Amino acid sequence: MKILIVDDHQAVRTAVRSLLSSHSEWTICGEAVDGLEAVEKARSLRPDLILMDVSMPRMDGVEATRIVRHDFPEADVIIVSQNDPGLVSRQASAVGAQGFVSKSDLGRKLVPMISNLLGEKHNSGAEPASPLKGNGANGTGDQNEQRFRQALDELPAAIYLTDAQGRLTYYNAAAIQFSGRIPELGTDSWCVTWKLFRPDGTPLPHDQCPMAVALKEGRAVYGEEAIAERPDGSRRWFTPFPRPLRNAEGQIVGGINMLVDITDRKQLHPGSNLLAAIVNSSDDAIVSKNLSGIITSWNKGAERIFGYTSQEAIGRSITLIIPPEHLDEEADILARIRRGERIDHFDTVRRRKDGGLADVAVTISPVFDAAGRIIGASKVARDVSDRRRAERELRDSEERFRSIVETTPECVKVVAADGTLLQMNAAGLALVGAESPEAVIGENVYKLIAPEDRDRFRSFNERVCAGHKGTLEFDIQSLQGVRRHMETQGAPFRTAAGEVAHLGVTRDITNRKLSERALANAARQQKALFHLADRLHRAPSLGDVYAAATDAICEALQCERASILLCDHAGVMRFVSWRGLSGSYRSAVEGHSPWKIDNPDPRPVCIENVDSAELDESLRKVVKSEGILALAFIPLVSENRLIGKFMMYFSHAHDFTGDELEVSLTIARQLAFAIERKRADQALRHSEERFRALSETLDAEVRVRTRQLEQRSRELMQHSDQVRDLSRQLLQTQDNERRHIARELHDSAGQTLTVLSMALSQLQQSAAARDPELASQVEASDQLVQQLHREIRTASYLLHPPLLDESGLASALAWYTQGLAERTPLKINLDIPHDLERIPKDMELGVFRVVQECLTNIHRHSGATDALIHISRSTGTLLLEVADNGKGIPADKLAEIQLKGTGVGIRGMRERVGQFQGEMKIESGASGTKILVSMPVLEAQQPPQPINASPVAAPAVLS
């Protein structure tokens, strides 16, 4: 057999060549240092087997394998890589490789995998003994096993073998196709599948699967069904047929299992199961019987209605549930069934197990066999006891309804089409002031309707009696003349005489109407205040301010007259605006004030009735002579200084409400502010001339200073750009250094450890027979080397995930979150659309680092158990959301972060987002923290989608 070794490290190629040199029948036909050279040498050397590294210059091993398997299908390929085994195994399966070996396991697993691939066992002790090895001469046994395995390879069903401990020793091509992966011989146990589930959907551990049961209990297992899940998430139903294999002494030496795919059968024949489920879940009793009246089936509904279980009923006569007085029904039913008749909705009585009787409605149909002969009957019985009981309860409820009508607090009445009151309950009689029903029953109801509403009520009553429903509001006058506002709901009602009358439910809504008027009054006040604010804002002079305020006072407070008085320089209040006041009145009261001029907090003064108020008699006389019986003094205050007042007057006694005073003070505040503003405007105009000259001088100075500030602004912007460029360069340098260190770990330490592991494996094998203790020590050292190999691989990935370069952001994040979830208790939900297109590589790296920093903060600080990563893309924008269910960020800390960007991690995330003119927001509360990032993406910047790109099965790119 000719073998081609492909790896970009000389030390690894030399170690592999040395590992395979002990097999004289295996010839190393050549070596290649990258994927392109591998394809060329496969074309010229025609090897039987290619050992293919993954990460190599010019062309990686995954793409090279795809080409080789397409162009030279006779050449087998085994992928060799130090990357994550799960990812590389799925990629190897996707491109058609026959197997995958981790570089840390080359010394132990490469030779057995090659032997298994060729169907030969040249290296005894390197893998578990085959349970199918013959007992004859070596040549004959090997030939028998070779022919047997060739036969298994040709079978379309998935077949695999294990040793006595359940470790896989062989699988055919159909097993790879069924499981969607390449199993690892000697490592995978019990089954070739990735994940297993029971028929009810619960997980099935591999060590409890049918193959494990067969080997542990030493028996064949039949009749089981299970579900296999592939690495791509798809599921297949299958039936396993495991059985142990024994040697001549009867000892179990292994096991063989065949997995039969029954997915199509499960999908194509759900009908009978569905029909059985429907029958069994029906609330009706569904019973079948033969022509002799013997029960042949009995569902759960029948058990519930009649009380007999299916075990008690099946095989007995149907008369089991027929009362003696109804036995003659059964003979008639059977006779009609024999004639092929169907019996619909037959109401009868049947007997329950406890002796009680049940009212049932029965439908009976003949049952035919395949030849069309009547062989029995199917009966569906519905328990109508509840319906019969409901009918009785309905009659009782009618009586209760009459009682309710009589006791309801609302008026319930029946009115004929001509307006005659036919019936009214006690609440209605009280509402209209009738001491007895005879006072109004039989009278025309229109007499109780307010005159202005009688025509509307008459039309409404006639419309309801014509068959329509409706609502009407109207006023009534009781027999005592009291007016109330009512609302009625009317519906047609057929009387005992068969005539259609008006059934009305009427309620007193007088209080509601008062509330509505209060709301309307409040709306009117708000409207007046709004117009006042608008007019004050646009008023060109103080006179316009006074006019607007006077109008608002009269409109909002509904007073007949009003006035405004302001303090002059001596502190005396003078009229500046009035409405409806005589000159003699103004002269008599001008200068009067209920407050001292220096009062810092004057309050409104209200006189609700001049006659009863404590006033000086001379002032009372003046006020009453003006026709004023109530008035109020509202102070105008500006900056805690009394500047005047406004007055409102009423020609009748008036009860000033709290709402009126609130509106008055609101008007006073707006008026005082407008007066002060207009005074300030006048002072400003007076000073304009004085400052004009200074303004011209300042204008020149401002222009000079503006030019200086603009220059300084340009310098600051230039400095900001420089800082931003420096930050970008620092981050790029940091990423490049990480990439460099990761590559060094891969190229130097990783490959050296691979060679060392193979050397230790060979040393352990050679020392196993001569010095077992030394072999044990060498094996322990090899385990340490493999652990160091995995830790270096993890460190290299964290420094710079290679999947970013080869497969993109989705694959890199899938790898990272899976690893973090395995190392920590944090459950991570990664939500990325399968069709998410690639973005520029530097942006992919920036997004990856932001997610990495977010998850680090969640793990270290949040105390969260779950995290969500959602990435989507709309037109021209990439959206990222990272959320957790942790304790959140305290409000003061969050405010500090939002303001200053506190913390190296947060600041670094903002800088990375800022590189791409993106935005980052932080939201936090008791339910957790959420990071929201948006970045603009130019459509032209999208790199081409790789052939292999997939967020689930990303190609391994480090060897």
Side-chain angles (χ1 to χ4, degrees):
M1 179 182 65
K2 297 188 296 181
I3 300 176
L4 173 63
I5 302 174
V6 184
D7 197 289
D8 60 337
H9 289 83
Q10 177 63 47
V12 175
R13 297 198 302 273
T14 302
V16 172
R17 180 184 287 272
S18 174
L19 181 65
L20 303 182
S21 61
S22 60
H23 295 263
S24 59
E25 69 275 19
W26 298 349
T27 302
I28 308 301
C29 65
E31 297 180 0
V33 298
D34 58 41
L36 284 177
E37 187 177 1
V39 174
E40 292 299 325
K41 289 199 173 181
R43 181 176 290 107
S44 60
L45 300 177
R46 297 290 178 171
D48 300 304
L49 175 64
I50 301 174
L51 303 180
M52 184 76 73
D53 188 16
V54 175
S55 179
M56 297 177 291
R58 298 200 297 171
M59 180 185 290
D60 64 73
V62 174
E63 184 61 26
T65 299
R66 189 193 310 277
I67 296 173
V68 167
R69 293 295 298 154
H70 180 270
D71 295 348
F72 317 108
E74 68 278 4
D76 294 329
V77 178
I78 294 178
I79 296 291
V80 178
S81 175
Q82 66 181 15
N83 280 339
D84 180 83
L87 290 175
V88 180
S89 177
R90 290 194 293 271
Q91 281 304 112
S93 175
V95 297
Q98 278 68 32
F100 157 67
V101 180
S102 175
K103 282 192 174 181
S104 60
D105 295 329
L106 281 177
R108 296 183 297 107
K109 295 185 178 181
L110 181 59
V111 171
M113 179 168 286
I114 296 175
S115 299
N116 179 72
L117 185 63
L118 299 176
E120 299 175 349
K121 296 295 179 183
H122 295 303
N123 196 0
S124 62
E127 62 179 358
S130 169
L132 300 179
K133 180 71 76 173
N135 293 325
N138 289 340
T140 303
D142 289 345
Q143 291 175 2
N144 290 338
E145 182 180 4
Q146 178 69 15
R147 286 194 296 270
F148 179 77
R149 294 200 175 190
Q150 287 176 351
L152 293 182
D153 286 337
E154 297 299 324
L155 293 176
I159 297 177
Y160 65 91
L161 304 175
T162 71
D163 60 15
Q165 287 72 41
R167 292 188 296 267
L168 261 67
T169 59
Y170 165 81
Y171 53 84
N172 66 355
I176 297 176
Q177 182 178 2
F178 176 80
S179 63
R181 59 188 291 267
I182 297 178
E184 292 192 29
L185 296 178
T187 300
D188 288 355
S189 297
W190 308 117
C191 192
V192 295
T193 56
W194 189 51
K195 291 183 180 179
L196 288 172
F197 295 88
R198 296 182 177 89
D200 62 2
T202 58
L204 174 62
H206 276 58
D207 59 359
Q208 298 178 19
C209 72
M211 184 62 155
V213 173
L215 291 177
K216 292 177 181 179
E217 299 182 6
R219 63 181 179 86
V221 177
Y222 299 100
E224 297 287 340
E225 291 184 356
I227 304 170
E229 181 175 310
R230 296 168 171 170
D232 63 3
S234 61
R235 293 189 176 189
R236 307 296 294 178
W237 281 80
F238 69 94
T239 298
F241 296 90
R243 61 184 304 127
L245 298 176
R246 304 178 186 271
N247 59 15
E249 290 77 24
Q251 298 174 335
I252 296 177
V253 296
I256 183 170
N257 195 5
M258 178 174 68
L259 309 180
V260 178
D261 192 331
I262 61 172
T263 305
D264 294 340
R265 187 185 73 194
K266 285 286 184 180
Q267 294 174 346
L268 291 177
H269 300 286
S272 59
N273 293 334
L274 177 61
L275 181 59
I278 291 173
V279 170
N280 205 40
S281 63
S282 174
D283 289 335
D284 293 337
I286 301 178
V287 179
S288 61
K289 60 184 177 182
N290 60 24
L291 293 178
S292 299
I294 303 302
I295 299 171
T296 57
S297 70
W298 186 270
N299 75 335
K300 294 291 183 182
E303 292 182 359
R304 180 183 60 81
I305 294 175
F306 301 119
Y308 293 98
T309 65
S310 59
Q311 291 82 1
E312 294 172 326
I314 294 176
R316 300 178 65 179
S317 172
I318 194 67
T319 58
L320 175 70
I321 60 173
I322 300 178
E325 62 271 20
H326 290 274
L327 286 176
D328 55 343
E329 294 177 359
E330 179 62 15
D332 180 64
I333 289 172
L334 289 177
R336 294 176 64 180
I337 290 299
R338 289 188 178 95
R339 293 195 300 268
E341 296 181 13
R342 172 185 172 92
I343 304 172
D344 289 321
H345 305 301
F346 172 55
D347 286 346
T348 185
V349 177
R350 290 295 180 257
R351 183 175 56 195
R352 294 191 293 266
K353 181 179 180 181
D354 61 6
L357 298 179
D359 294 315
V360 295
V362 180
T363 298
I364 306 174
S365 302
V367 176
F368 300 89
D369 62 9
R373 295 186 297 269
I374 297 175
I375 60 173
S378 172
K379 176 172 68 175
V380 178
R382 174 163 298 178
D383 188 347
V384 295
S385 301
D386 291 341
R387 189 184 71 190
R388 300 285 174 81
R389 190 182 308 111
E391 292 172 353
R392 292 190 296 269
E393 291 175 351
L394 179 61
R395 290 191 296 271
D396 295 339
S397 69
E398 291 176 353
E399 295 299 323
R400 290 195 297 271
F401 175 73
R402 293 189 183 93
S403 300
I404 291 172
V405 168
E406 288 302 318
T407 58
T408 184
E410 297 178 339
C411 170
V412 180
K413 63 185 183 299
V414 178
V415 182
D418 62 358
T420 301
L421 183 62
L422 302 177
Q423 188 176 351
M424 179 177 282
N425 67 346
L429 296 175
L431 192 65
V432 300
E435 296 180 357
S436 65
E438 290 76 13
V440 290
I441 299 298
E443 299 294 329
N444 196 296
V445 77
Y446 300 146
K447 297 177 182 179
L448 299 173
I449 309 300
E452 64 273 17
D453 292 331
R454 284 177 185 168
D455 290 340
R456 289 194 307 114
F457 188 87
R458 180 181 289 105
S459 298
F460 176 74
N461 182 60
E462 293 172 352
R463 189 166 62 253
V464 172
C465 291
H468 302 282
K469 296 180 180 181
T471 303
L472 181 69
E473 291 186 11
F474 58 95
D475 283 356
I476 67 168
Q477 284 183 326
S478 69
L479 297 179
Q480 290 77 27
V482 178
R483 290 180 68 99
R484 307 293 294 176
H485 198 80
M486 313 301 292
E487 179 185 63
T488 187
Q489 302 281 342
F493 172 75
R494 189 170 296 278
T495 66
E499 297 178 352
V500 177
H502 166 194
L503 173 62
V505 178
T506 306
R507 61 184 60 86
D508 187 345
I509 61 170
T510 304
N511 292 333
R512 191 184 79 187
K513 284 298 179 179
L514 292 176
S515 298
E516 290 175 354
R517 281 196 287 270
L519 289 174
N521 187 47
R524 175 181 47 75
Q525 292 175 348
Q526 292 297 323
K527 181 179 179 182
L529 291 176
F530 174 78
H531 288 164
L532 173 62
D534 182 59
R535 290 180 64 183
L536 292 179
H537 176 71
R538 294 185 289 106
S541 65
L542 276 172
D544 295 308
V545 169
Y546 302 148
T550 304
D551 291 341
I553 294 169
C554 294
E555 174 65 22
L557 302 172
Q558 294 291 284
C559 57
E560 297 89 350
R561 290 171 280 185
S563 65
I564 301 173
L565 297 90
L566 299 180
C567 297
D568 60 12
H569 296 294
V572 178
M573 291 193 180
R574 306 290 185 187
F575 281 94
V576 296
S577 179
W578 59 89
R579 179 170 298 171
L581 299 178
S582 65
S584 60
Y585 175 79
R586 295 198 309 274
S587 299
V589 300
E590 191 170 55
H592 175 269
S593 173
W595 316 283
K596 292 182 179 181
I597 192 64
D598 57 352
N599 189 338
D601 186 25
R603 309 304 299 167
V605 176
C606 300
I607 300 176
E608 297 178 347
N609 193 327
V610 172
D611 291 331
S612 59
E614 295 182 1
L615 292 177
D616 181 80
E617 285 301 324
S618 60
L619 180 60
R620 189 194 312 274
K621 183 177 180 181
V622 171
V623 173
K624 290 190 66 175
S625 65
E626 192 70 11
I628 298 171
L629 288 182
L631 67 161
F633 303 76
I634 309 299
L636 302 178
V637 179
S638 176
E639 298 180 353
N640 296 323
R641 180 172 55 87
L642 182 65
I643 65 170
K645 66 181 178 181
F646 79 74
M647 304 284 296
M648 50 180 165
Y649 312 94
F650 296 88
S651 58
H652 52 81
H654 183 77
D655 183 13
F656 293 95
T657 66
D659 290 341
E660 286 178 328
L661 292 180
E662 286 294 330
V663 173
S664 300
L665 290 174
T666 300
I667 294 174
R669 285 191 292 269
Q670 294 191 40
L671 176 58
F673 176 79
I675 291 172
E676 291 294 279
R677 188 185 67 183
K678 285 302 176 185
R679 287 175 173 175
D681 290 344
Q682 290 176 353
L684 179 62
R685 284 195 297 272
H686 293 157
S687 63
E688 284 181 352
E689 292 298 329
R690 182 163 54 88
F691 288 108
R692 185 172 291 112
L694 179 60
S695 176
E696 294 175 354
T697 303
L698 290 176
D699 185 57
E701 295 180 358
V702 168
R703 285 196 294 272
V704 173
R705 183 58 178 162
T706 300
R707 286 195 294 271
Q708 294 174 348
L709 291 176
E710 289 176 348
Q711 177 62 28
R712 179 60 177 163
S713 176
R714 286 193 293 272
E715 293 174 356
L716 288 175
M717 290 297 293
Q718 184 178 7
H719 177 69
S720 176
D721 292 339
Q722 291 173 350
V723 171
R724 194 157 40 246
D725 290 341
L726 177 60
S727 173
R728 185 182 300 108
Q729 292 173 9
L730 288 174
L731 289 175
Q732 184 175 2
T733 302
Q734 183 187 56
D735 291 333
N736 289 339
E737 186 63 21
R738 285 178 172 177
R739 184 184 288 106
H740 175 71
I741 294 173
R743 191 67 200 183
E744 285 297 317
L745 287 175
H746 163 261
D747 290 346
S748 178
Q751 305 302 331
T752 301
L753 288 174
T754 296
V755 176
L756 178 58
S757 176
M758 286 191 290
L760 288 174
S761 179
Q762 290 180 290
L763 178 59
Q764 189 267 338
Q765 294 175 13
S766 63
R770 291 175 298 174
D771 192 341
E773 181 178 358
L774 175 60
S776 177
Q777 294 175 354
V778 171
E779 184 179 7
S781 299
D782 188 23
Q783 294 295 327
L784 291 175
V785 168
Q786 293 183 39
Q787 179 180 352
L788 179 59
H789 194 282
R790 290 191 293 270
E791 292 177 355
I792 287 178
R793 179 178 64 200
T794 301
S796 172
Y797 274 33
L798 292 176
L799 284 170
H800 181 76
L803 295 177
L804 273 175
D805 298 329
E806 291 295 326
S807 302
L809 181 62
S811 297
L813 287 178
W815 166 82
Y816 177 71
T817 54
Q818 181 181 357
L820 184 60
E822 291 173 353
R823 298 191 298 273
T824 69
L826 186 65
K827 293 170 61 179
I828 304 173
N829 181 12
L830 180 62
D831 181 16
I832 303 178
H834 288 285
D835 57 353
L836 182 70
E837 298 181 349
R838 292 291 299 272
I839 57 178
K841 289 188 176 181
D842 55 346
M843 183 177 288
E844 287 185 330
L845 178 59
V847 173
F848 180 87
R849 293 300 183 201
V850 169
V851 173
Q852 189 178 33
E853 183 65 31
C854 288
L855 292 180
T856 300
N857 289 337
I858 292 173
H859 173 58
R860 291 179 178 174
H861 307 300
S862 72
T865 59
D866 296 272
L868 166 68
I869 303 170
H870 175 71
I871 297 178
S872 61
R873 183 170 177 177
S874 59
T875 305
T877 303
L878 181 74
L879 303 175
L880 165 66
E881 175 185 341
V882 183
D884 65 65
N885 66 343
K887 60 188 178 182
I889 304 173
D892 54 345
K893 183 67 174 178
L894 180 61
E896 184 179 359
I897 291 174
Q898 300 284 22
L899 181 62
K900 302 178 181 179
T902 304
V904 176
I906 297 294
R907 191 158 46 245
M909 291 162 60
R910 291 192 186 279
E911 290 176 358
R912 287 192 180 274
V913 173
Q915 287 182 6
F916 305 100
Q917 291 75 47
E919 295 181 356
M920 186 179 85
K921 294 193 301 183
I922 304 176
E923 300 176 358
S924 187
S927 59
T929 302
K930 183 183 294 183
I931 305 293
L932 302 170
V933 175
S934 63
M935 295 182 182
V937 181
L938 297 180
E939 299 299 327
Q941 292 179 340
Q942 299 173 15
Q945 182 77 9
I947 297 174
N948 274 345
S950 170
V952 175
V957 295
L958 288 179
S959 62

